[in-house]
């Protein structure tokens, strides 16, 4: 059984929005930093956003002001609200939990 399960990806036009969700296990989520990474076509996986257990956040420069990470520790859920999407945002988005836990990813495709 998967410990991190992403959902919410899909196809969207540039300028549109999507909300990604990650269902984590209590063991992984509780007290730990959680986040989202992206693997764009032909590129390495890179940080998009992270949130500590205390909900302090970190964002890649390319998504600042457009994406918002949030979490619900009671439900062991992590979210990524993505607004004003750009074609460059296209890729597989992975939920991450410290220290080395990964979901299988959800595809986000942004068309021009």
């Amino acid at each position: 059984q998967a410990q991190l399960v992403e959902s919410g990806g899909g196809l969207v036009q540039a300028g549109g929005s999507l909300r990604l969700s990650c269902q984590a296990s209590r063991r992984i989520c509780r007290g730990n930093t959680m986040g989202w990474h992206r693997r764009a076509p032909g590129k390495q996986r890179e940080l998009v956003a992270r949130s500590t257990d205390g909900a302090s956040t970190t964002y890649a420069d390319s998504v600042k002001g457009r994406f918002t990470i949030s979490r619900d520790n009671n439900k062991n859920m992590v979210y990524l609200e993505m607004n004003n999407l750009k074609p460059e945002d296209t890729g597989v988005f992975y939920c991450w939990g410290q220290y080395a836990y990964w979901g299988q990813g959800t595809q986000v495709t942004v068309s021009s």
Side-chain angles (χ1 to χ4, degrees):
Q1 196 167 17
Q3 295 176 296
L4 299 170
V5 180
E6 305 96 334
S7 62
L11 175 64
V12 65
Q13 293 289 116
S17 299
L18 286 172
R19 191 191 195 201
L20 306 183
S21 299
C22 172
Q23 177 66 68
S25 69
R26 185 170 184 266
R27 181 177 65 84
I28 293 175
C29 189
R30 188 179 184 183
N32 292 331
T33 297
M34 303 292 295
W36 293 91
H37 289 226
R38 179 185 67 216
R39 186 177 67 210
K43 299 184 182 296
Q44 291 185 252
R45 188 157 53 189
E46 61 185 4
L47 170 71
V48 174
R50 285 184 179 177
S51 176
T52 69
D53 183 55
S56 63
T57 58
T58 300
Y59 296 94
D61 287 342
S62 62
V63 308
K64 286 181 179 177
R66 299 189 297 121
F67 291 10
T68 302
I69 186 171
S70 61
R71 61 192 294 167
D72 184 336
N73 290 334
N74 185 256
K75 297 180 179 179
N76 303 309
M77 294 288 294
V78 185
Y79 307 97
L80 185 68
E81 181 71 34
M82 305 185 293
N83 298 311
N84 191 26
L85 282 160
K86 303 176 180 179
E88 306 92 89
D89 296 321
T90 292
V92 179
F93 284 71
Y94 297 88
C95 186
W96 173 88
Q98 73 178 87
Y99 296 91
Y101 296 97
W102 297 94
Q104 291 187 312
T106 184
Q107 177 71 44
V108 172
T109 303
V110 185
S111 62
S112 300

